[in-house]
C-alpha cells in the first residue's frame, strides 16, 4: 500500500523517510551486533544514531498508523472490506519475506551453533520460539525473549495494531470516535512505557511503544486533513527550523531532553514528518522516483540485514578471517551487500513469493480475495 491521502498533500516523500529510518536501524544501531572492538565506523557522522538509532522503529510505527488511516479508513468504515480480505492484504505484503528471512536465519544460526556451540547475538533457538515466530506472536505478544530474526519483533506488534485498527474503525460511527479511541490507546501505551511494565503477554514496553506511536500516527493523519496550504507551509518551515535548532543543541550539549525516548516520540518524530510533508522543496526532492523506490526497499532492508550479519560472521569464523568490524570498509561492504540482496529480492523474487503465499493462503482460508 502506498501512502494516499484525500487532501492535496503529496505524501510519497514518506516512503523515502521509511528508507532512511530503516537504514539507521539496520546499518547503524544494529551494527553493535558485531561488537566492533576499536570503535564504531563513521561515529563522527552517526553521533546520534549509534546510541539512539533504535528510536527509528518508533517512526516506523507512526508512519504505519498514518498509512493505515489514509489507505483503509474509508473502505473499512463503509463496510466495503471484510476482515479476511483486509488481513490478507496486510499479510501478503510482508509475510512471504518474513518467512523467507526466518528460514535463512535458521540456516545461518545453525551453522554458527555448529562452529562455536552458540547462536549469533540472540539465543532461544528452539521449537517453541520458532512456532511463536511463524505465527507472529514473538517478542511483545506472547513473550519478551529475543529469538531468531529478532529485529522482526515490530512486525508482530504491527499486526496486532492492524487488527485493533480494523475493529475500531469498523464499529466506530465516525472519525471523531476513532480519534478518541486511539488517543486513549496512546495514553495507555505511554503509561506502559513510563511505568516500565515488562510482562511477557502484551503489557510490555515493546507493545507500549507500538500502540503509542501507531496511535499518534492515526491522530496526525486526522489533523493533516484539516490544514490548509498556507498553514501547512508555516507548520513545515517551523518544524524544519525546530529540527535544526534541536540538532545543533544536541551536538553542543548532548541529550537535552531528560527522556530521549518520549522526547523523540512526541516532539522529534512529528517535526520530521511535518518537514517532509509540508516543506515544499523537501517534499518535492524526496518524492523523486529514486527516493520513492528506495523507500519501497525499507522492509527488505529491515528483515535482510540481520541475515547478512549472520552470514558475514559465519564466514569470518569459518575462514578464521579475524575481521576488524571497526574498519569503515567493512561497514560499507555490509551496507552494500544488504542493499544488493534487498534489490534482487524486490526485482526478481517478490512476485514469486507473494503469488505462492496467496495460493496457499486462499486454499487454507478458503476465501475470495478481490484484486
Amino acid at each position: 500500500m502506498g501512502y494516499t491521502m484525500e487532501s492535496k498533500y503529496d505524501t510519497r516523500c514518506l516512503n523515502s523517510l521509511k528508507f532512511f529510518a530503516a537504514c539507521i536501524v539496520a546499518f547503524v544501531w544494529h551494527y553493535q551486533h558485531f561488537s566492533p572492538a576499536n570503535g564504531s565506523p563513521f561515529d563522527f557522522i552517526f553521533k546520534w544514531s549509534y546510541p539512539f538509532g533504535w528510536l527509528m522503529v518508533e517512526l516506523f510505527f507512526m508512519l504505519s498508523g498514518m498509512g493505515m488511516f489514509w489507505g483503509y479508513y474509508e473502505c473499512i468504515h463503509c463496510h466495503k472490506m471484510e476482515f479476511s480480505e483486509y488481513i490478507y492484504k496486510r499479510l501478503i505484503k510482508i509475510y512471504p519475506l518474513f518467512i523467507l528471512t526466518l528460514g535463512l536465519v535458521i540456516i545461518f544460526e545453525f551453522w554458527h551453533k555448529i562452529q562455536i556451540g552458540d547462536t549469533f547475538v540472540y539465543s532461544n533457538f528452539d521449537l517453541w520460539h520458532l512456532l511463536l515466530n511463524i505465527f507472529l506472536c514473538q517478542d511483545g505478544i506472547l513473550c519478551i525473549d529475543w529469538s531468531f530474526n529478532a529485529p522482526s519483533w515490530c512486525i508482530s506488534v504491527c499486526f496486532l495494531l492492524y487488527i485493533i485498527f480494523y475493529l475500531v474503525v469498523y464499529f466506530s460511527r465516525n472519525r471523531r470516535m476513532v480519534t478518541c479511541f486511539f488517543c486513549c490507546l496512546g495514553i495507555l501505551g505511554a503509561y506502559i512505557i513510563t511505568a516500565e511494565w515488562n510482562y511477557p503477554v502484551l503489557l510490555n514496553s515493546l507493545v507500549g511503544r507500538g500502540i503509542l506511536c501507531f496511535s499518534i500516527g492515526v491522530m496526525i493523519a486526522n489533523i493533516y486533513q484539516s490544514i490548509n496550504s498556507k498553514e501547512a507551509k508555516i507548520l513545515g518551515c517551523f518544524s524544519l527550523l525546530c529540527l535544526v535548532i534541536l540538532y545543533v543543541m544536541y551536538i553542543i550539549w548532548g541529550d537535552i531532553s531528560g527522556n530521549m525516548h518520549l522526547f523523540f516520540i512526541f516532539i522529534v518524530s512529528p517535526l520530521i514528518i511535518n518537514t517532509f510533508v509540508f516543506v515544499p522543496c523537501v517534499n518535492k526532492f524526496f518524492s523523486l522516483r529514486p527516493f520513492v523506490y528506495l523507500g519501497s526497499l525499507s522492509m527488505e532492508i529491515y528483515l535482510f540485514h540481520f541475515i547478512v550479519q549472520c552470514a558475514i560472521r559465519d564466514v569470518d569464523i569459518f575462514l578464521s578471517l579475524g575481521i576488524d568490524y571497526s574498519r569503515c570498509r567493512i561497514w560499507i561492504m555490509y551496507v552494500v551487500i544488504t542493499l544488493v540482496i534487498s534489490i534482487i529480492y524486490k526485482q526478481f523474487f517478490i512476485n514469486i513469493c507473494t503469488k505462492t503465499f496467496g495460493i496457499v493462503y486462499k486454499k487454507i482460508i478458503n476465501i475470495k480475495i478481490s484484486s
Side-chain angles (χ1 to χ4, degrees):
M1 178 190 65
Y3 286 105
T4 57
M5 196 173 187
E6 295 178 2
S7 67
K8 50 187 166 295
Y9 306 114
D10 185 357
T11 55
R12 290 176 299 168
C13 57
L14 295 183
N15 287 303
S16 306
L17 184 55
K18 289 195 299 180
F19 169 75
F20 294 119
C23 288
I24 290 174
V25 175
F27 303 144
V28 185
W29 167 246
H30 279 160
Y31 198 77
Q32 65 180 308
H33 291 159
F34 287 127
S35 301
N38 301 309
S40 301
F42 300 110
D43 57 350
F44 61 96
I45 296 176
F46 303 118
K47 180 177 175 139
W48 180 87
S49 300
Y50 275 116
F52 296 112
W54 58 278
L55 290 172
M56 288 294 108
V57 177
E58 267 64 349
L59 187 58
F60 266 119
F61 281 127
M62 210 169 290
L63 292 172
S64 181
M66 297 172 70
M68 291 300 295
F69 183 84
W70 289 330
Y72 285 102
Y73 175 84
E74 291 296 337
C75 58
I76 295 174
H77 179 67
C78 297
H79 297 183
K80 295 179 180 178
M81 180 179 289
E82 294 298 323
F83 179 77
S84 57
E85 180 179 359
Y86 165 79
I87 208 65
Y88 169 79
K89 287 181 179 294
R90 302 315 307 151
L91 279 171
I92 200 169
K93 289 191 174 294
I94 188 59
Y95 197 70
L97 175 61
F98 176 85
I99 287 296
L100 173 62
T101 52
L102 177 61
L104 290 172
V105 83
I106 290 172
I107 294 171
F108 288 114
E109 288 285 37
F110 187 69
W111 185 16
H112 196 276
K113 198 172 181 69
I114 289 175
Q115 294 190 89
I116 66 171
D118 200 2
T119 50
F120 176 59
V121 185
Y122 303 112
S123 53
N124 300 307
F125 192 67
D126 53 50
L127 180 59
W128 168 243
H129 286 89
L130 176 60
L131 291 174
L132 289 177
N133 276 266
I134 290 173
F135 291 101
L136 294 173
C137 294
Q138 73 272 34
D139 306 305
I141 306 301
L142 293 181
C143 71
I144 50 176
D145 303 322
W146 301 117
S147 61
F148 295 93
N149 193 0
S152 67
W153 69 269
C154 61
I155 305 295
S156 60
V157 175
C158 259
F159 272 97
L160 170 66
L161 294 167
Y162 294 156
I163 294 171
I164 293 172
F165 179 82
Y166 183 92
L167 295 175
V168 171
V169 174
Y170 190 88
F171 291 106
S172 295
R173 294 181 181 178
N174 50 48
R175 291 180 179 177
R176 182 174 295 178
M177 288 184 64
V178 172
T179 304
C180 288
F181 177 87
F182 278 103
C183 180
C184 295
L185 189 65
I187 292 172
L188 173 62
Y191 183 79
I192 291 173
I193 293 172
T194 54
E196 298 182 350
W197 287 1
N198 204 33
Y199 301 103
V201 181
L202 297 179
L203 297 177
N204 51 71
S205 63
L206 300 181
V207 174
R209 290 164 62 186
I211 62 178
L212 172 57
C213 298
F214 187 93
S215 299
I216 291 174
V218 171
M219 290 185 282
I220 289 176
N222 266 285
I223 293 171
Y224 276 14
Q225 298 202 3
S226 62
I227 298 177
N228 61 44
S229 298
K230 184 177 180 180
E231 292 171 338
K233 289 181 180 179
I234 294 173
L235 179 59
C237 293
F238 175 76
S239 298
L240 177 58
L241 178 62
C242 288
L243 283 176
V244 172
I245 293 173
L246 289 173
Y247 188 72
V248 171
M249 291 173 67
Y250 175 79
I251 294 298
I252 297 174
W253 293 297
D255 186 0
I256 59 173
S257 62
N259 187 325
M260 179 60 81
H261 191 190
L262 294 181
F263 184 73
F264 184 85
I265 292 174
F266 287 108
I267 305 296
V268 178
S269 288
L271 289 176
I272 292 173
I273 295 171
N274 290 342
T275 299
F276 269 68
V277 177
F278 293 140
V279 177
C281 59
V282 175
N283 186 313
K284 187 174 181 179
F285 180 74
F286 287 108
S287 294
L288 294 174
R289 185 173 297 180
F291 287 111
V292 175
Y293 175 76
L294 290 174
S296 72
L297 297 174
S298 57
M299 193 53 66
E300 283 78 8
I301 292 169
Y302 192 82
L303 288 180
F304 272 123
H305 80 272
F306 183 63
I307 284 80
V308 174
Q309 290 183 338
C310 288
I312 292 174
R313 185 59 185 148
D314 284 349
V315 172
D316 183 13
I317 295 171
F318 183 71
L319 298 178
S320 300
L321 298 176
I323 294 175
D324 180 2
Y325 294 99
S326 297
R327 300 178 70 176
C328 293
R329 67 180 183 181
I330 298 299
W331 182 87
I332 293 172
M333 178 193 71
Y334 157 60
V335 171
V336 170
I337 292 174
T338 305
L339 289 174
V340 169
I341 291 175
S342 299
I343 292 171
I344 290 173
Y345 174 81
K346 191 77 172 180
Q347 294 298 121
F348 301 106
F349 293 101
I350 189 171
N351 290 336
I352 297 173
C353 292
T354 54
K355 184 177 180 180
T356 302
F357 170 77
I359 293 171
V360 173
Y361 182 90
K362 291 174 187 178
K363 284 185 177 179
I364 294 175
I365 307 300
N366 193 28
I367 59 172
K368 294 180 72 174
I369 305 294
S370 62
S371 301

